[in-house]
Each structure stands twice: as structure tokens, then as C-alpha cells.
Amino acid sequence: MHALVERLKQKDIRALARAITMVENDHPEKLELLHAVFSMQKHAIYVGLTGSPGAGKSSLVNRLIAEIRATGKTVAVIAVDPTSPFSGGALLGDRVRMNEHFTDDGVYIRSMATRGSLGGLARATKDAVRICDAFGFDVIIVETVGVGQSELDIMKIVDTTAVVLTPNSGDVLQIFKAGIMEIADLFVINKADLHGVGKLRALLRELVMMTADKDRERAIVKTISTENKGIDKLWQEILAHHNFLYETKEGKSRRDDQQQLEVYELIREEIWREVKQFVEANEESRPIRAGQDPYQLAKDWFEKWKQEGRCPQDGGK
Ligand SMILES: Nc1nc2c(ncn2[C@@H]2O[C@H](COP(=O)(O)OP(=O)(O)O)[C@@H](O)[C@H]2O)c(=O)[nH]1
Ligand SMILES: [Mg+2]
């Protein structure tokens, strides 16, 4: 472990890949690694791009990489596909679209896929972002398909979430239903070369007003990633939102809330792990069967764990 951390400090790219694989696989020494990594963080700019498949997220990321590199900053991209159990499929397409940056040392592209639970993927992605930060990348971009709860969790990792929509696709409704609207910090109308841009923009404006944020109005940016149009504006808006978070009182309190949520989440995970272990250790004598009242069972087991399980003989491990 110590050796791996040292190699990360030396900016060994293979150590970076290895470290991310460790969090992806929930390696037993993961927490030790993350603890070391946490103090190495340099606080990069964390950006998330979400939206329906085919909206043009990967094409946008590819253009953003060029835009960011032109300012001298380095970029890591984490492409997450919760719908795919393998790092193939859609991500293969992403690789092709981001191909031109493969020989650039200032760019690192990594895909992550579901190994265990979706919740686990969100956690692993967050850890991967921190590892990339500790490694020294200036900007970290997370790309994910916006379809459900796991994407919401994944997007909680980043500071600035951009929701990518396209004209005439009906994806606004889908994204609205999935609750993605609430986590959007800015909207991107990509494929602005297609018909229906005005209509989508009007709809988004309405939504932005309806769900008005008292601290800051959310921007709507038009892009044509195939023609490299609007990318500079998109990057400016990302930076503006980042500045809001880090330079204003409202932004600070928002980050505090975020931090609190993360701590609660980690506590929940720990408790869950312990209660589950306790139940499983007792299951043989008191099995859980189909058809039993789950509410009562959950209550009973939790009570039993509080009384007997919290101070087990092995010191709470
Ligand atoms: N007309 C048009 N097509 C685009 C634009 N941006 C991306 N595309 C195309 O949309 C398709 C899906 O793009 P991709 O970046 O893979 O979408 P993702 O699934 O959201 O990552 C590709 O064929 C792109 O070439 C755009 O601004 N205009
Ligand atoms: Mg993609």
C-alpha cells in the first residue's frame, strides 16, 4: 500500500490505474489507500456531464478536453455506464470519440462499470475522482447516462453538474421525471444545429424559472459539439459556477451541506455493514422467510442488534 501511494506521488500512471481498480473492486485495503489519498488532494475542478444516451456527452467531453488543455490545465475523464456490466459497449464508442487525446500526458481517460451494486458504483466513482485529484489533475470530468437514482448519486460527487439535452428528443420529460432537473447546475442544449432549439430553450427557461434557485440562476448554453461551437461558453459557465461555489457564502454553505451528506452516507454504509453481518451470523437460528412481515422483521433485527450486536466480543469489527 505504501509503495502504491509513493508511486502515485511520483505520478506513475500505472499506479493510478491500479488504485482506481482497487476502489472499483472494493479491495480490502481500499480505506487505507483513500485515507492516504485524501490528504494528497489538491482540489481540482469537478465537473459532471449527464443526459440521455446519444445526447452528445462524449463528443462534448472530447471538445471540452481540447478547450481545457488550451488553457494549460490537465484533465481526467471518468466515464461511468451504470447500464453496462462491462467496460465495453457504449464506452467503446466514448473511447473512439476521445481518441485524439490518447497520446497527451495531460489527459487521462478511464471507464468504470458496475461490479456490484449501483450504490457501490457511485461510491467507487467518487473515490476514483479523489484519486485523480490526488494524482494532480486540474479538472476531473465525470460522464454518465442520466437515467435513474444511481446517476443522481454519481452526480452528487461533482461540484458542477451539466445536464445535456437535445432538441426534439423528449429527453427533458425523462430527465425531469428522473429528478435530474433538481441536481442540474447548468443546462446544455447540444445538437443546436438541429430543429427545435428555440422550443427546447423556451421550455428550459420556464423550468429554470419554476424551480428558481434563490442564490443563482442556472445558465442554459447552446452547443454544437460536432462543429466545436459553444464549447468556450460552456467552459466559462462551468468556471462561473465553480467560482460561485468556492467564492461565495451561499456556495460555501452548499458545500458544507454536501460534506454533511457524505459523512451521513458513510455512517449509513458502516451501520448497514454491521447490522447485515449481525443478521447473517444469527440467520441460522432465526432464518428470514418469504411471506413474513418485513417491517416487523427489520424492526426486530435492528432492536436485537442494538442490544446484542453493537458490542460483540471481537471488539465491534
Ligand atoms: N448533429 C449533431 N450531432 C451530434 C452533435 N454532438 C454529437 N453528435 C452525434 O451524436 C451521436 C452521439 O454522440 P455521443 O457523444 O456518443 O453521445 P453520448 O451517448 O451522450 O456520449 C454521435 O453520432 C455524434 O456524432 C451535435 O452537436 N450535432
Ligand atoms: Mg458517451
Side-chain angles (χ1 to χ4, degrees), residues 114-146:
T114 321
R115 289 284 151 81
S117 65
L118 290 178
L121 181 62
R123 186 72 244 164
T125 304
K126 183 165 206 149
D127 297 337
V129 165
R130 292 212 165 122
I131 293 168
C132 288
D133 185 339
F135 193 83
F137 286 101
D138 301 318
V139 182
I140 296 151
I141 303 178
V142 178
E143 177 196 331
T144 187
V145 178

Side-chain angles (χ1 to χ4, degrees), residues 54 56-59 79 90-91 93-94 97-98 143 145:
K57 299 178 296 296
S58 299
S59 312
L91 294 170
D94 292 347
R97 271 180 270 290
M98 297 176 206
E143 177 196 331
V145 178

Side-chain angles (χ1 to χ4, degrees), residues 185-186 212-219 237 240-242 244 254:
D185 297 307
L186 67 101
D213 185 320
K214 61 182 186 328
D215 301 325
R216 191 172 186 275
E217 189 178 318
R218 294 178 286 179
E237 290 295 349
H241 182 259
H242 189 264
F244 159 75
R254 220 179 266 198

Side-chain angles (χ1 to χ4, degrees), residues 6 41 133 197 212 214 240 256:
E6 275 314 304
Q41 285 192 103
D133 185 339
V197 176
K214 61 182 186 328
D256 289 345

Side-chain angles (χ1 to χ4, degrees), residues 109-177:
I109 298 169
R110 165 77 185 222
S111 54
M112 313 245 325
T114 321
R115 289 284 151 81
S117 65
L118 290 178
L121 181 62
R123 186 72 244 164
T125 304
K126 183 165 206 149
D127 297 337
V129 165
R130 292 212 165 122
I131 293 168
C132 288
D133 185 339
F135 193 83
F137 286 101
D138 301 318
V139 182
I140 296 151
I141 303 178
V142 178
E143 177 196 331
T144 187
V145 178
V147 285
Q149 185 57 45
S150 54
E151 291 70 27
L152 286 179
D153 289 343
I154 289 168
M155 283 300 129
K156 282 184 199 141
I157 297 160
V158 299
D159 289 326
T160 303
T161 299
V163 174
V164 183
L165 299 155
T166 53
N168 282 324
S169 58
D171 48 6
V172 175
L173 194 67
Q174 206 189 341
I175 281 194
F176 194 70
K177 278 196 283 188

